[in-house]
Amino acid sequence: MTGNIELQSTTNHGTWRWLGRIGYAIMYIVLILVAVFQLFPLVWLMFFSLKNNQEVFNLPPLSLPMHPRWENYSKVWNAGNIDVYFLNSLWVTVVATVLTVVLGSLVTYAITRMKWKGSSLVLGLFMVAMMIPVHSTLIPLFNFFNKVGLTDHPLSLVLSYVAFNMPITIMILLGFYYSLPREVEEAAVIDGCSVNRMFFRIVLPMTGSVIATTAIINMIYNWNEFIFVNTFISSDSYKTLTVGVQNFIGQYTTDWGAIGATLMISILPILIMFLFLSDRIVEGMAAGSVKG
Amino acid sequence: MDKVLSNKKMIALYVLPSLLLILTIVYIPIILTGFYGLHEWNGIGSMKFIGLENYANLMKDGKFWDSAWHSLLLALFSGLSLIIYLMISMVLAARIKGANAFRKIYLIPMLLSSVAIAQLWLRIYNPSNGILNSVLQSIGVDNPPAWLAEPSLVLFALFIPILWQYAGFYILIYYAALKNIPTTLDEAARIDGATSWQIAWKIKLPLIMETVKVTIVLAVVGSLKYFDLIFVMTDGGPNGSSEVMASYMYHTAFRAYDFGYGSATAFSLLVICLIVTWIIRWLTRSKDTIQYS
């Protein structure tokens, strides 16, 4: 069909087809170049994380390490507090993510399924919070946590993460909750079901896929968060990986292998997660696109 | 049904924890930031009310305006880069083989922390054995610049990792929006003899205009509050030539212990972000939105 139209509308069909092919090739070259630009720094990082300084400085930068020095990894894992930072990141991320998803689900359920006067006002409060720069709250938050004895305490991080990720979480959940059929709930009410039972036994199990999406988004944000940890946490035993990596590198500015290994350790969990869940992450990122 | 679902006690139980949290962690601090800005305060001692003096000083503060200018430049770069992202997404969404793999690869840097990205790009820019200057030297550039030490280059050099980090994110948003357009429109236009180029700019672009507007706000406001990467890579240097609004706020409050002045800066950052959001929304307003059906 389309072929016929092209034949009729173009007199010099052959030239057009040629140009089309060249255009197609150029397009692919551009796409591949962008892909190389996106991946190349990470490949280079992996290479130098397996070299010692002599190899980093003397060999061409793109050369593979001849004898991969895995000891760089064991060295930084044991020498610094990387293991401590790693565990801190892990549990702060998990606790904050679980809390955000549970609290966010409860609020979204109340807003979309229950009947009360202030619901649109409350929803508005959560949505407007999305526009507020984190930095504008930093000084009062620091002061507040200081007064209640929560500076240098992981709870200050958990509370901040939950509050600042709540809006985006509710926004993603909202669309899903609106599309849930009401019939199931009606049947449940007729059977004498309570609100709690309805939420935990009927609604929550139906939202599994969207909960996974929001949890992934939350985990990525929490795992990578920097400014709150840098401001609220001062002792090494509570620091998370982002700040820990920063401090560790500050002490070992010249050992490129160690620096590379430290950076690789900090990004590997996310990369591995991406390897297994890339479809879900892509979907989650698209759904959560309205976050600055 | 209504009786069960308008149970006040349950509603309070479901809503109040989150509501209290967001009021305590987000809204009250914002009000306090404005309030602290009216005081002279070192963060430890007592606060001394000085009215609008901090704000008046801020208006006369050359360093603040420099940082605002740098933020604005970054915002402008980010806004312009959206055109490239849009073109790439148009190509990807045109039923190209491997489109899925491309957009996944593009997204990877977005998943990494800004600190890791900053540390990695510090090595890339390293003047003596960073990959960038090694490559430049091998293709015959004898004295490649020390990218992050040159006041005239540093902002541009910082923008490249930003581009690297966010490319996949914006491409993904555009791609998702383009994929939402029903294919019947595409086919109808093709039957009418429209070229791919015409379909992209005359049909698809107007249909995803709402998404484009959202991304303009995201990119511009996101750049205005940019912090982590610059903080790690240059800390505002050399000599303030890469200081942005958020880093200036951080330096005045947490380094110079001038919490009153820092708060005034932080509050101005909020106000500028809100004003810029409003201006973009106003500039990109449209009387009637186009819909598929």
Side-chain angles (χ1 to χ4, degrees), chain B:
Chain B
M1 177 101 178
D2 280 1
K3 206 176 153 197
V4 180
L5 287 178
S6 45
N7 182 339
K8 290 264 156 34
K9 230 163 75 186
M10 294 315 294
I11 292 168
L13 196 69
Y14 280 21
V15 174
L16 279 183
S18 312
L19 191 62
L20 285 178
L21 195 66
I22 200 158
L23 289 176
T24 319
I25 306 285
V26 181
Y27 281 100
I28 294 173
I30 282 295
I31 297 165
L32 282 177
T33 300
F35 176 73
Y36 290 168
L38 303 172
H39 293 76
E40 194 182 297
W41 184 39
N42 63 7
I44 307 156
S46 57
M47 294 159 73
K48 188 181 148 211
F49 183 80
I50 54 167
L52 291 172
E53 204 180 302
N54 281 328
Y55 292 94
N57 287 337
L58 203 59
M59 294 302 112
K60 290 181 284 185
D61 184 349
K63 281 185 181 167
F64 171 72
W65 288 113
D66 282 349
S67 71
W69 169 242
H70 299 149
S71 294
L72 213 62
L73 271 181
L74 285 180
L76 195 70
F77 288 155
S78 305
L80 289 177
S81 64
L82 292 178
I83 299 170
I84 306 171
Y85 303 148
L86 187 58
M87 293 201 300
I88 294 176
S89 326
M90 288 270 187
V91 169
L92 282 182
R95 275 173 281 172
I96 286 286
K97 265 185 208 154
N100 226 356
F102 278 122
R103 75 187 175 126
K104 278 178 193 169
I105 290 173
Y106 295 167
L107 193 68
I108 290 175
M110 174 74 196
L111 308 174
L112 311 180
S113 73
S114 294
V115 172
I117 290 173
Q119 287 292 353
L120 173 57
W121 280 82
L122 273 178
R123 317 293 133 187
I124 290 175
Y125 282 131
N126 189 297
S128 59
N129 55 335
I131 186 112
L132 178 63
N133 283 3
S134 304
V135 169
L136 285 178
Q137 271 160 347
S138 70
I139 59 166
V141 182
D142 282 337
N143 285 311
W147 299 93
L148 298 173
E150 297 275 348
S152 56
L153 290 176
V154 65
L155 266 186
F156 175 73
L158 284 172
F159 182 65
I160 303 297
I162 298 176
L163 202 72
W164 185 73
Q165 184 177 13
Y166 288 102
F169 178 65
Y170 289 111
I171 291 172
L172 174 71
I173 298 176
Y174 290 145
Y175 182 88
L178 288 165
K179 279 287 166 190
N180 264 337
I181 301 174
T183 48
T184 44
L185 279 177
D186 210 29
E187 284 154 14
R190 229 170 261 283
I191 288 167
D192 288 343
T195 62
S196 302
W197 187 257
Q198 286 171 325
I199 292 173
W201 295 108
K202 300 237 170 93
I203 297 174
K204 289 187 177 170
L205 185 63
L207 284 174
I208 63 161
M209 215 48 214
E210 283 308 309
T211 308
V212 173
K213 286 177 194 171
V214 171
T215 55
I216 295 173
V217 174
L218 276 184
V220 170
V221 177
S223 314
L224 290 180
K225 50 190 188 189
Y226 220 72
F227 178 78
D228 295 6
L229 192 116
I230 291 169
F231 182 75
V232 174
M233 284 182 75
T234 63
D235 200 18
N239 199 18
S241 52
S242 65
E243 191 89 274
V244 290
M245 285 191 289
S247 66
Y248 189 61
M249 181 282 294
Y250 195 88
H251 287 145
T252 46
F254 295 97
R255 293 258 174 84
Y257 297 105
D258 194 342
F259 278 69
Y261 199 60
S263 297
T265 318
F267 199 73
S268 308
L269 171 68
L270 171 75
V271 172
I272 291 174
C273 283
L274 293 179
I275 291 176
V276 169
T277 308
W278 183 79
I279 291 177
I280 296 173
R281 289 257 160 89
W282 186 76
L283 284 177
T284 59
R285 75 201 181 283
S286 53
K287 284 177 198 115
D288 41 9
T289 40
I290 306 158
Q291 282 179 345
Y292 310 135
S293 47

Side-chain angles (χ1 to χ4, degrees), chain A residues 27-28 31 37-38 57 107 114-115 125 135-136 139-140 143 195-196 224 226 230 246 274 279 282 289, chain B residues 4-5 14 18 27 29 33 36 91 96-97 104 106 111 113 115 119 129 164 172 218 225 227 259 266:
Chain A
M27 196 179 71
Y28 261 99
L31 289 180
F37 176 64
Q38 293 303 96
F57 285 76
V107 172
M114 298 175 86
K115 293 184 169 54
L125 271 176
H135 310 91
S136 299
I139 296 169
N143 193 36
V195 175
N196 266 331
N224 291 333
F226 172 71
N230 196 46
Q246 178 63 7
F274 187 70
D279 281 327
V282 166
S289 59
Chain B
V4 180
L5 287 178
Y14 280 21
S18 312
Y27 281 100
T33 300
Y36 290 168
V91 169
I96 286 286
K97 265 185 208 154
K104 278 178 193 169
Y106 295 167
L111 308 174
S113 73
V115 172
Q119 287 292 353
N129 55 335
W164 185 73
L172 174 71
L218 276 184
K225 50 190 188 189
F227 178 78
F259 278 69

Side-chain angles (χ1 to χ4, degrees), chain A:
Chain A
M1 184 80 189
T2 38
N4 282 335
I5 288 164
E6 271 171 35
L7 268 177
Q8 287 159 14
S9 59
T10 56
T11 43
N12 44 357
H13 184 218
T15 325
W16 279 114
R17 202 167 57 187
W18 252 104
L19 279 176
R21 276 192 194 160
I22 293 172
Y24 209 68
I26 292 174
M27 196 179 71
Y28 261 99
I29 291 170
V30 170
L31 289 180
I32 289 167
L33 281 179
V34 176
V36 170
F37 176 64
Q38 293 303 96
L39 283 186
F40 184 74
L42 294 172
V43 174
W44 181 61
L45 168 66
M46 198 178 71
F47 282 1
F48 79 69
S49 77
L50 294 170
K51 292 175 178 176
N52 66 14
N53 259 5
Q54 209 192 345
E55 290 162 332
V56 172
F57 285 76
N58 295 336
L59 294 176
L62 284 180
S63 65
L64 279 162
M66 276 179 289
H67 310 284
R69 293 175 194 277
W70 295 106
E71 63 263 30
N72 285 343
Y73 284 79
S74 54
K75 187 169 77 186
V76 294
W77 185 263
N78 295 323
N81 279 320
I82 297 290
D83 48 348
V84 177
Y85 303 148
F86 194 93
L87 285 175
N88 288 341
S89 274
L90 196 66
W91 90 255
V92 168
T93 297
V94 169
V95 171
T97 301
V98 170
L99 267 176
T100 315
V101 171
V102 170
L103 289 176
S105 295
L106 288 170
V107 172
T108 313
Y109 179 75
I111 287 173
T112 55
R113 314 303 267 200
M114 298 175 86
K115 293 184 169 54
W116 47 295
K117 272 180 189 158
S119 67
S120 56
L121 177 74
V122 167
L123 180 61
L125 271 176
F126 281 109
M127 293 301 111
V128 169
M130 230 175 320
M131 319 241 294
I132 291 171
V134 170
H135 310 91
S136 299
T137 62
L138 204 58
I139 296 169
L141 275 182
F142 177 74
N143 193 36
F144 165 71
F145 287 131
N146 223 353
K147 279 202 177 124
V148 296
L150 284 180
T151 34
D152 209 15
H153 192 291
L155 197 57
S156 64
L157 300 179
V158 171
L159 291 175
S160 310
Y161 294 177
V162 176
F164 275 97
N165 286 336
M166 191 63 80
I168 187 73
T169 304
I170 292 176
M171 207 194 78
I172 301 174
L173 291 172
L174 211 58
F176 193 89
Y177 270 78
Y178 275 131
S179 66
L180 283 180
R182 285 209 172 264
E183 287 77 10
V184 187
E185 284 164 275
E186 275 162 16
V189 169
I190 291 165
D191 288 349
C193 206
S194 71
V195 175
N196 266 331
R197 207 177 150 77
M198 200 143 71
F199 175 71
F200 286 103
R201 285 297 176 81
I202 299 171
V203 175
L204 211 54
M206 281 158 72
T207 61
S209 65
V210 72
I211 281 184
T213 302
T214 48
I216 288 166
I217 296 285
N218 269 285
M219 274 157 76
I220 293 170
Y221 285 140
N222 294 340
W223 183 267
N224 291 333
E225 205 284 325
F226 172 71
I227 192 167
F228 285 139
V229 191
N230 196 46
T231 314
F232 300 154
I233 304 293
S234 50
S235 58
D236 268 337
S237 50
Y238 292 131
K239 275 177 190 158
T240 62
L241 256 183
T242 41
V243 170
V245 159
Q246 178 63 7
N247 293 356
F248 182 80
I249 289 174
Q251 293 161 31
Y252 297 85
T253 41
T254 50
D255 188 344
W256 280 53
I259 291 165
T262 313
L263 290 177
M264 280 304 288
I265 291 173
S266 82
I267 65 177
L268 267 179
I270 297 277
L271 289 182
I272 291 170
M273 194 164 93
F274 187 70
L275 213 61
F276 288 106
L277 296 169
S278 61
D279 281 327
R280 184 127 271 168
I281 290 175
V282 166
E283 178 197 313
M285 282 292 194
S289 59
V290 189
K291 156 116 187 177

